Amino acid sequence: MSTETTEQTASPVTVAEAAEALRSTNGSVLVRGGATKLEWGGRVQRPDLVLDTTEMRGVLTHNPADLTASVRGGTTLDELQEHLSAQDQWLALDPPSGRFGATVGGLLATGESGPSRLRYGGLRDLVIGVTLVLADGTVARSGGHVIKNVAGYDLAKLVYGSLGSLAVIAEVVVRLHPRPQSSHVLGADADAETATAATAAVMASPLEPTTLEWSSAPGGGAGGRLHVRLDGTSGSVASARDRMTALLAGLGIDAVELTPDDVEQVATAHDTTVAGVDGQTVLRVSGLPGDLGTLVDAARAASAAQGLDLAVVSSAALGLHTLVLTGTGTGTDAHARAVETVRTAALAQGASVLVCRRPAEVDTHLDVLGPPPSTAALLGRVKAAFDPDGRLAPGRFRPWF
């Protein structure tokens, strides 16, 4: 990551230590967990303190009968899933950054989900309690350890997607799901328009896929690949697989079941593409499922005009699309020009765009955040209430607030 930091780092182990680290210091603070998404939004330049949460880790409680667990915010998702697997349970979340060391607190702060959001919702839907440390060291708690607890303000939803700008997420209480007994993944060749039609047909049917993902063809060609995952009991999934295959066949789509090895290869390619690498620009577009085809056409035209390669990965049924630009293109501003063109097309569709990763020079040619949303003033007031001195992640949402 290219985010600049100082050498002053605090690595608290407990909530009390995190609170003391903030009370005993002044100046700007960058909260860092697995460091998988430090470039999302605006860059935090030269913070006075890096508060590293990776020592605040471990499962605090796990109640298998209640399907709940509480963990420290610096616990990696992999660590939590491994613990829960002993009881055939899981946190129904599969973000791409999970395989690269993302923490539970970091996932809540960034609002990253994954393909399974289609069935289970995002992390904001799975959190039932949270402990936060505010910029002045105040400790705030909301929710509890039971699913129907409704006491107090829902602070978890407030910090969801805040990119570390409101508080340190110290502890998280989540609700769990049983691991499915059986899983089948179907794959089929499909371009963006065909995938859009298939998505509409599947979502209008009684079938309930766990994931429905579309990826563009390697090299940015016109084709692509559609993948549908079905989870449940052995009997129900086998029946659903046959019905899904028949539904897609009626649309002229020849779907075949993937082997376990193929499933792992597809998952690895999906997560690696979405996460991106240094030198790439990664955009997350949130819009309507039916706009996938026009968005892909606009992105292909924009990337081609700048001499860049394009890859697209889409949670098609959710309208969540990841666009990845690769190459040096026509000059130092090639990525910035392509982003601006894509963003203009996406905004015209009523979609939103988040720049997640980009080469450093993009920031000199582009307003990374783009036009402020209608809620910018409200978000600024929330920031002022929680962090009146602007200590946490300064610049993350600049110039909005």
Side-chain angles (χ1 to χ4, degrees):
M1 295 290 183
S2 58
T3 300
E4 299 181 60
T5 63
T6 67
E7 293 182 358
Q8 185 179 0
T9 301
S11 300
V13 176
T14 65
V15 175
E17 290 179 5
E20 178 58 26
L22 291 173
R23 279 196 300 267
S24 62
T25 58
N26 296 308
S28 60
V29 181
L30 171 67
V31 183
R32 183 181 66 200
T36 58
K37 294 176 284 293
L38 288 182
E39 291 185 271
W40 283 33
R43 296 184 193 271
V44 178
Q45 301 288 348
R46 300 186 182 278
D48 298 307
L49 173 68
V50 175
L51 197 149
D52 188 327
T53 67
T54 53
E55 295 301 316
M56 299 175 63
R57 64 193 307 163
V59 178
L60 297 171
T61 63
H62 177 202
N63 299 306
D66 294 335
L67 288 170
T68 62
S70 62
V71 299
R72 293 188 175 94
T75 308
T76 66
L77 180 61
D78 277 355
E79 182 180 352
L80 173 59
Q81 302 290 33
E82 182 178 359
H83 176 92
L84 299 176
S85 65
Q87 297 290 331
D88 288 327
Q89 295 178 352
W90 71 309
L91 176 62
L93 194 71
D94 52 0
S97 66
R99 70 171 66 233
F100 304 113
T103 63
V104 175
L107 292 168
L108 184 61
T110 57
E112 186 187 16
S113 53
S116 293
R117 180 176 177 175
L118 178 61
R119 180 166 184 173
Y120 297 105
L123 185 54
R124 72 188 299 276
D125 305 301
L126 302 172
V127 172
I128 58 176
V130 70
T131 299
L132 307 177
V133 182
L134 305 186
D136 62 358
T138 300
V139 177
R141 294 181 172 86
S142 73
H145 289 256
V146 294
I147 293 175
K148 292 186 178 180
N149 191 311
V150 294
Y153 294 106
D154 195 345
L155 296 180
K157 288 186 175 60
L158 191 64
V159 298
Y160 183 83
S162 62
L163 301 181
S165 66
L166 294 181
V168 179
I169 300 172
E171 296 176 0
V172 183
V173 186
V174 293
R175 67 185 182 99
L176 311 173
H177 286 81
R179 285 191 175 275
Q181 294 179 4
S182 181
S183 179
H184 293 282
V185 178
L186 300 176
D189 291 330
D191 60 20
E193 291 293 348
T194 302
T196 301
T199 297
V202 170
M203 299 311 295
S205 76
L207 299 171
E208 297 181 354
T210 301
T211 68
L212 201 162
E213 297 284 301
W214 180 80
S215 301
S216 61
R225 191 79 176 156
L226 182 69
H227 293 102
V228 183
R229 190 174 99 227
L230 301 159
D231 293 339
T233 62
S234 299
S236 66
V237 172
S239 174
R241 174 199 59 200
D242 294 341
R243 294 163 63 194
M244 181 68 74
T245 302
L247 185 154
L248 295 175
L251 299 172
I253 301 172
D254 183 19
V256 297
E257 185 170 356
L258 274 60
T259 67
D261 286 344
D262 288 340
V263 171
E264 179 56 32
Q265 289 179 8
V266 168
T268 300
H270 172 281
D271 294 351
T272 301
T273 301
V274 172
V277 298
D278 288 344
Q280 293 181 327
T281 294
V282 180
L283 308 177
R284 294 172 66 87
V285 180
S286 178
L288 296 175
D291 290 336
L292 172 61
T294 54
L295 177 66
V296 169
D297 287 344
R300 281 180 175 145
S303 57
Q306 299 303 323
L308 302 172
D309 294 328
L310 172 72
V312 182
V313 176
S314 171
S315 293
L318 293 168
L320 300 177
H321 320 296
T322 300
L323 312 180
V324 183
L325 302 171
T326 305
T328 55
T330 57
T332 58
D333 62 347
H335 283 243
R337 288 178 178 274
V339 170
E340 192 60 58
T341 302
V342 171
R343 185 160 60 192
T344 299
L347 292 176
Q349 295 179 345
S352 61
V353 179
L354 174 66
V355 181
C356 299
R357 181 189 289 270
R358 69 275 189 190
E361 61 267 18
V362 168
D363 291 46
T364 64
H365 299 287
L366 178 74
D367 176 2
V368 172
L369 291 185
S374 59
T375 56
L378 174 61
L379 295 173
R381 291 196 295 271
V382 172
K383 169 67 171 176
F386 274 73
D387 182 17
D389 295 327
R391 295 188 67 192
L392 298 176
R396 188 68 81 193
F397 290 98
R398 190 175 296 137
W400 295 357
F401 55 84

